[in-house]
Amino acid sequence: MVKICCIGAGYVGGPTMAVIALKCPDVEVVVVDISESRIAGWNSDRLPIYEPGLDDVVRQCRGRNLFFSTDVNRYVGEADIVFVSVNTPTKTRGLGAGKAADLTYWESAARMIGDVSRSDKIVVEKSTVPVKTAEAIEKILAHHGRGVRYQILSNPEFLAEGTAVQDLFCPDRVLIGGRETPEGQAAVKALKDVYARWVPEDRIITTNLWSAELSKLAANAFLAQRISSVNAISALCEATGADVAEVACSIGKDKRIGPRFLSASVGFGGSCFQKDILNLVYICECYALPEVAEYWRQVIGINDYQKSRFVNRVVSSMFNTVAGKKVAVLGFAFKKDTGDTRETPAIDVCRGLLGDKAVVSIYDPQVTEEQVRRDLAMKKFDWDHPRHLQPVGEPAGQQVIAMAPDAYEAARDAHAVCILTEWEEFRNLDYSRMYDAMQKPAFVFDGRNIVDPEKLREIGFIVYSIGKPLDNWLKDMPAVA
């Protein structure tokens, strides 16, 4: 029996290993983590992350050939293949602060692997890492001696939260990078054989190590670039009276462009896009490519501009102040079908509203009050450290943040509703009921373009939808970002 161990029981490690265990019943898969509470969650009926379909996969395999444990040393030592899926946060101090990836946890994992290994191992980079990380890991492991041989592979994940299980079942591609040596290619084949149990061979791509490492950063940068591109156009649409949805539909019909990732919104979030682009910027600067670095930096610049523009639109529309006014925030996760709040635009929007002394009432079907308060308290980039290492203080405006049990309660007596996550339930709310319970004039600021502006205007709302022709009320109150 092949033995696989994954270090890190998070959004990537947990689902990936669960699907491998399901598809390869003769392979023993153990997910290890130093967090006792996280491992306890994986061993319970309430998993520590929300992902459609994941409960069923884990239930089928757990206790058979899928195990979750805090005994890191034992299972890493016994494994043939070790996946490393640990945090790679952006550095907050020192060389490369604000851009470079902090590889502290990766280095610690590599040293631990070297300490406990007594047999040859394939070590697989699953975390998103800078180009040439594999080379550094090779050097660390080479100095541990003991006659143990290691092969380092890069196998980046391309999962989208909310569809991660389906992405694992039917991936667009599986990318495996390894050394172009006989030993390296043998390791590539060993990992390829695991995936080939359910992934068609033509979707398993093999490259050299550096191409695989860079491909992950480049893929996220391209996706984020599309979002920032359509968001930039959304600002122009509002200024000219064009409709960004119609523009996006038109250009998306071009086969060279395609329709994906062309939905204007309040901005992108999640654990990867900003972090990976900043990493790419830093790498470009290190290789003396300042023009390339600046090009990618602007993708983040537009994203920040879009969030700021949204907040300014809210404030300017409501007589240039939201002080003391209740504002309902519907959705705090960075996208629907996940409870993940990492880099969610809702954080910056809520902070902007709180900065103008609004009273903010938040409802999200998958995000807890504890998580919201932690997110609003944390400094930038602190979220990507393990939970027990996250420095948390008291957020500004603690007394004017409230969590509501549902959307209607969030909007009761509110002056405005801000839709920040595209949960399906928000499309089907009884907005007439909501309007009746709100202060007047009542505003809806749709940061995801999921409601019909005309229907809401018929009810009586003043409506702002990103990139759509402006309500007459809003035309007289321009937002200055």
Side-chain angles (χ1 to χ4, degrees):
M1 177 181 280
V2 174
K3 293 187 175 182
I4 291 176
C5 180
C6 177
I7 303 172
Y11 280 92
V12 174
T16 303
M17 294 303 110
V19 170
I20 288 177
L22 180 69
K23 297 295 187 179
C24 306
D26 57 330
V27 173
E28 179 184 280
V29 180
V30 183
V31 182
V32 296
D33 200 295
I34 61 174
S35 170
E36 293 184 1
S37 61
R38 182 168 283 264
I39 291 299
W42 282 106
N43 283 318
S44 73
D45 292 330
R46 185 175 176 81
L47 302 184
I49 64 173
Y50 173 73
E51 192 66 44
L54 181 59
D55 281 12
D56 186 54
V57 174
V58 172
R59 196 177 301 114
Q60 290 184 61
C61 304
R62 191 172 55 197
R64 184 192 71 188
N65 67 322
L66 174 65
F67 306 92
F68 299 92
S69 176
T70 56
D71 194 347
V72 179
N73 291 0
R74 172 191 168 186
Y75 289 107
V76 169
E78 293 177 356
D80 304 303
I81 302 175
V82 179
F83 285 82
V84 182
S85 184
V86 297
N87 303 70
T88 51
T90 302
K91 289 183 71 174
T92 56
R93 61 185 64 187
L95 185 64
K99 292 173 290 188
D102 184 345
L103 297 179
T104 299
Y105 305 119
W106 233 110
E107 182 178 342
S108 177
R111 293 182 183 278
M112 181 273 296
I113 292 169
D115 288 338
V116 305
S117 295
R118 298 295 182 270
S119 59
D120 295 351
K121 294 205 178 348
I122 297 172
V123 178
V124 183
E125 295 175 338
K126 202 64 182 169
S127 311
T128 303
V129 294
V131 183
K132 298 290 185 177
T133 297
E135 194 169 64
I137 303 307
E138 285 175 336
K139 291 177 180 177
I140 291 172
L141 293 173
H143 281 78
H144 275 76
R146 298 198 192 94
V148 177
R149 293 173 297 180
Y150 301 93
Q151 287 299 320
I152 315 300
L153 301 180
S154 174
N155 175 218
E157 55 85 15
F158 296 101
L159 307 179
E161 289 185 44
T163 60
V165 173
Q166 189 59 35
D167 293 341
L168 288 162
F169 282 163
C170 303
D172 294 331
R173 78 288 203 197
V174 171
L175 180 59
I176 304 172
R179 285 288 191 182
E180 296 171 290
T181 63
E183 297 81 5
Q185 291 306 296
V188 168
K189 183 180 183 304
L191 184 57
K192 182 178 179 180
D193 287 345
V194 172
Y195 284 111
R197 302 285 285 275
W198 78 94
V199 180
E201 188 170 353
D202 61 352
R203 294 192 181 186
I204 304 176
I205 303 170
T206 59
T207 68
N208 69 35
L209 267 172
W210 324 130
S211 294
E213 289 180 336
L214 183 56
S215 292
K216 169 63 175 177
L217 297 180
N220 280 340
F222 272 60
L223 292 174
Q225 177 199 51
R226 284 176 70 94
I227 296 172
S228 282
S229 293
V230 75
N231 281 343
I233 294 298
S234 76
L236 184 58
C237 285
E238 291 171 26
T240 60
D243 186 326
V244 71
E246 295 175 349
V247 174
C249 179
S250 175
I251 64 176
K253 294 294 185 183
D254 189 323
K255 293 178 182 178
R256 298 167 299 175
I257 298 172
R260 302 289 299 276
F261 281 77
L262 288 180
S263 297
S265 69
V266 67
F268 60 74
S271 63
C272 294
F273 283 0
Q274 175 164 292
K275 181 177 72 172
D276 290 356
I277 292 175
L278 289 172
N279 195 348
L280 192 62
V281 167
Y282 182 69
I283 292 169
C284 291
E285 290 175 344
C286 288
Y287 284 95
L289 299 169
E291 293 83 4
V292 181
E294 184 58 27
Y295 174 82
W296 289 112
R297 186 183 284 109
Q298 282 303 310
V299 172
I300 295 175
I302 288 292
N303 196 54
D304 291 339
Y305 164 75
Q306 189 76 342
K307 290 181 286 188
S308 175
R309 197 169 71 85
F310 185 87
V311 172
N312 289 342
R313 178 68 71 184
V314 173
V315 176
S316 66
S317 300
M318 297 168 66
F319 312 103
N320 219 36
T321 180
V322 290
K325 297 175 183 176
K326 181 179 178 181
V327 178
V329 169
L330 302 188
F332 199 83
F334 85 93
K335 62 184 288 190
K336 69 175 183 177
D337 294 334
T338 180
D340 193 353
T341 61
R342 293 176 292 180
E343 290 291 350
T344 174
I347 294 175
D348 287 329
V349 171
C350 287
R351 284 177 175 166
L353 296 173
L354 291 169
D356 210 78
K357 300 183 179 179
V359 178
V360 179
S361 180
I362 302 168
Y363 167 67
D364 187 290
Q366 288 296 330
V367 181
T368 64
E369 178 174 357
E370 178 194 8
Q371 187 60 52
V372 169
R373 294 192 183 280
R374 288 178 70 90
D375 288 336
L376 293 175
M378 279 189 282
K379 296 179 181 177
K380 199 168 184 65
F381 306 127
D382 283 347
W383 55 266
D384 205 19
H385 292 272
R387 192 176 181 87
H388 66 287
L389 296 178
Q390 292 174 355
V392 176
E394 287 294 308
Q398 182 83 338
Q399 283 71 43
V400 289
I401 304 168
M403 293 297 291
D406 57 49
Y408 300 108
E409 192 60 34
R412 184 180 302 280
D413 292 323
H415 290 257
V417 170
C418 296
I419 302 173
L420 301 184
T421 309
E422 69 279 21
W423 287 103
E424 287 301 317
E425 68 178 86
F426 298 157
R427 298 179 187 271
N428 303 312
L429 292 171
D430 184 345
Y431 282 97
S432 293
R433 171 186 168 188
M434 187 176 286
Y435 178 81
D436 290 341
M438 292 176 64
Q439 299 287 331
K440 308 299 184 295
F443 298 81
V444 169
F445 299 92
D446 185 2
R448 296 292 177 174
N449 285 355
I450 63 171
V451 299
D452 185 330
E454 292 309 316
K455 287 185 178 179
L456 266 59
R457 287 181 183 125
E458 289 174 6
I459 293 170
F461 284 106
I462 296 165
V463 183
Y464 167 70
S465 294
I466 288 178
K468 302 277 189 176
L470 293 177
D471 192 298
N472 287 332
W473 177 290
L474 301 176
K475 290 178 182 178
D476 297 329
M477 298 183 175
V480 180

